Amino acid sequence: PPPLSPPQSRACAGSSLGAPQATSASESQRHIIGAAMGLDPLEIRLKSLGATGEEFRPGRRCLDAVPAAGLRMAAHEIGMNVDRGPEDQESELPIKTGRGIGCNLSGVGSSPTSTAIVRLHVDGTVTVFAGTTEIGQGSRGVLAPIASQELLVPLDQVGMVSSDTGIVPYDRSTGSSRSTTMMGLAVQGAAKEVKEQLLELGALHLDCSEEELSVNDGLVLRGTESVTYGALIEEEFGGRAGELLGRGYVTPRMNNGRLRQGPAFWEIGIAAAQIEVDTDTGAIRIPHYVSVADVGVAINPQQCEGQDEGASMQGLGHTLFEEMIYEDGQLLNPNMVDYKVPTFADLPGDLDSMMIENHDGPGPFGAKGLGEGGIVSAAPSVANALFQATGVRIKDLPLTPERVWRALRDAKK
């Protein structure tokens, strides 16, 4: 029989659909160009980044973010001021330290097509009907607070019904970092319609104009006078029955066509890594890793951090471990024993998730999505740090100990 061909490998990425691979190449290339020109990694990126309001891609929405601020934050956090370069790594010790950064701007595919219904019941509780599917990203932890904040009722009085397409109104999809922005706008619009009805009923009850009224904590207020939401519903329906319904629509026409031009917003993914590489074994350890997300406003800050940290670990997974190995078309590592993913033992010693909140997004209260940005810049930040530490540029992923060790050995030759 003919001899077996050598195994072929293919790096496997998680979400963001191709952006991690493209960013790994482009941000590594930017580092190579900067080194050739005598520019440190931060300097060359700041020189080439667009400013807020500039056209980033022809015919696409102008840049609505401040990536330069995020880059400075990330570089400062890991203590990277200038790239000392491999020539300064003269120590004979096997452990060498390097620092690297990466940046990516993604035009997310957030189709502006979402609908929602908000029901205000006679007991003052609220139910939100939304088609966004809960797949672990925490949509309930964002959509319920949006309704709570718009109607100014306690969060524990807001319930969610989602995912059952036989009951909930239509939503375009769950993905592309769109749920907070698009479905959030639909929920906010539905809650506003309910609030308008409350003000109308409050004006009848208090015999005044709607402009004299406000709402807070489940009450319609006029100076020192107040009436509960439930009492207004009872009065309208003539007994302890009935409810108010609000409808929310997100379409390309809304807000004077604000969402017609793509992308709905630019999603920023910035990462900075401090690494230690053992030149005897090729093993990489990450004492400090920083991810910066431009979220517009963090509606649920703790959840934002958790989602960004999860995305960072996904990114580090395909950077250091995840690889599908084939031989003659046969997958050699089809199970979780042979296909390695990051565990808690692989967490960076210090994992920082930082948020930029400029209230400049198209979503509720100025929010943007962040589900994918944390993945894309992990690989180039680590690869660039490896180059700074050793002077060796590895262009294939993942950066397994064997691959790093072989590259270091070949460089010595």
Side-chain angles (χ1 to χ4, degrees):
L4 292 176
S5 60
Q8 297 178 341
S9 65
R10 182 169 65 214
C12 179
S15 184
S16 202
L17 302 177
Q21 291 84 354
T23 304
S24 177
S26 63
E27 280 296 272
S28 295
Q29 180 74 357
R30 193 187 306 271
H31 194 109
I32 293 169
I33 294 170
M37 298 174 63
L39 297 174
D40 75 84
L42 180 58
E43 183 182 2
I44 190 172
R45 285 167 176 80
L46 294 177
K47 284 179 178 292
S48 60
L49 275 173
T52 305
E54 281 191 44
E55 186 179 63
F56 183 61
R57 291 182 189 164
R60 306 282 277 170
R61 184 180 303 284
C62 292
L63 189 58
D64 58 355
V66 193
L71 273 171
R72 289 190 177 97
M73 290 167 59
H76 174 76
E77 282 298 306
I78 65 166
M80 187 181 75
N81 297 317
V82 295
D83 188 342
R84 296 170 298 169
E87 66 276 9
D88 294 329
Q89 299 285 345
E90 297 176 352
S91 170
E92 294 300 322
L93 294 175
I95 305 298
K96 296 188 183 297
T97 299
R99 294 171 176 84
I101 55 175
C103 177
N104 179 72
L105 280 68
S106 297
V108 293
S110 298
S111 171
T113 311
S114 291
T115 51
I117 292 174
V118 169
R119 298 168 59 185
L120 176 61
H121 309 290
V122 71
D123 61 357
T125 61
V126 176
T127 304
V128 177
F129 288 75
T132 297
T133 302
E134 177 56 67
I135 54 175
Q137 82 280 30
S139 60
R140 293 184 181 91
V142 172
L143 299 178
I146 290 171
S148 170
Q149 189 166 341
E150 193 61 48
L151 287 169
L152 292 171
V153 298
L155 183 57
D156 60 7
Q157 291 182 210
V158 181
M160 282 284 304
V161 175
S162 62
S163 301
D164 188 337
T165 55
I167 298 173
V168 299
Y170 181 80
D171 187 24
R172 167 66 176 79
S173 62
T174 299
S176 297
S177 306
R178 69 181 302 277
S179 296
T180 296
T181 307
M182 300 304 170
M183 182 52 74
L185 279 176
V187 170
Q188 186 182 35
K192 283 182 176 180
E193 190 171 277
V194 170
K195 186 163 64 176
E196 290 168 2
Q197 297 173 60
L198 285 170
L199 293 174
E200 182 180 348
L201 296 177
L204 292 173
H205 177 84
L206 297 170
D207 192 21
C208 64
S209 67
E210 293 181 27
E211 289 72 23
E212 298 177 64
L213 301 176
S214 62
V215 299
N216 190 34
D217 198 22
L219 301 171
V220 175
L221 306 165
R222 181 196 181 209
T224 58
E225 296 180 279
S226 65
V227 57
T228 67
Y229 295 171
L232 290 175
I233 295 175
E234 284 192 46
E235 187 176 298
E236 175 67 11
F237 288 93
R240 192 159 178 78
E243 62 184 11
L244 301 182
L245 297 178
R247 304 156 302 164
Y249 303 99
V250 172
T251 73
R253 292 180 177 178
M254 72 177 298
N255 295 337
N256 298 317
R258 164 68 178 83
L259 299 174
R260 183 175 286 116
Q261 185 183 30
F265 59 90
W266 290 101
E267 186 167 357
I268 311 300
I270 295 172
Q274 176 193 357
I275 74 164
E276 292 178 350
V277 55
D278 187 331
T279 57
D280 285 345
T281 65
I284 293 176
R285 194 177 75 86
I286 305 178
H288 195 183
Y289 184 87
V290 177
S291 176
V292 179
D294 187 328
V295 299
V297 60
I299 293 174
N300 187 326
Q302 189 174 23
Q303 187 169 291
C304 283
E305 289 184 12
Q307 193 170 40
D308 193 54
E309 289 169 357
S312 296
M313 289 308 296
Q314 270 192 283
L316 292 175
H318 83 80
T319 300
L320 299 175
F321 309 116
E322 297 184 50
E323 183 175 32
M324 299 174 71
I325 302 173
Y326 289 89
E327 186 176 275
D328 292 338
Q330 179 68 40
L331 182 62
L332 300 183
N333 57 337
N335 54 64
M336 299 303 289
V337 174
D338 301 313
Y339 182 94
K340 181 169 171 52
V341 297
T343 68
F344 280 110
D346 301 307
L347 279 167
D350 189 359
L351 175 58
D352 289 334
S353 179
M354 307 176 72
M355 304 290 155
I356 298 176
E357 297 186 75
N358 291 324
H359 297 259
D360 53 0
F365 318 113
K368 305 174 186 176
L370 82 154
E372 300 162 274
I375 300 174
V376 293
S377 295
S381 69
V382 175
N384 291 336
L386 178 64
F387 172 77
Q388 193 213 33
T390 65
V392 173
R393 170 62 63 182
I394 300 179
K395 299 178 181 179
D396 294 319
L397 294 175
L399 300 174
T400 59
E402 180 180 355
R403 178 167 283 152
V404 173
W405 177 82
R406 289 184 182 278
L408 293 173
R409 181 197 61 180
D410 293 344
K412 281 186 178 181
K413 290 181 181 178

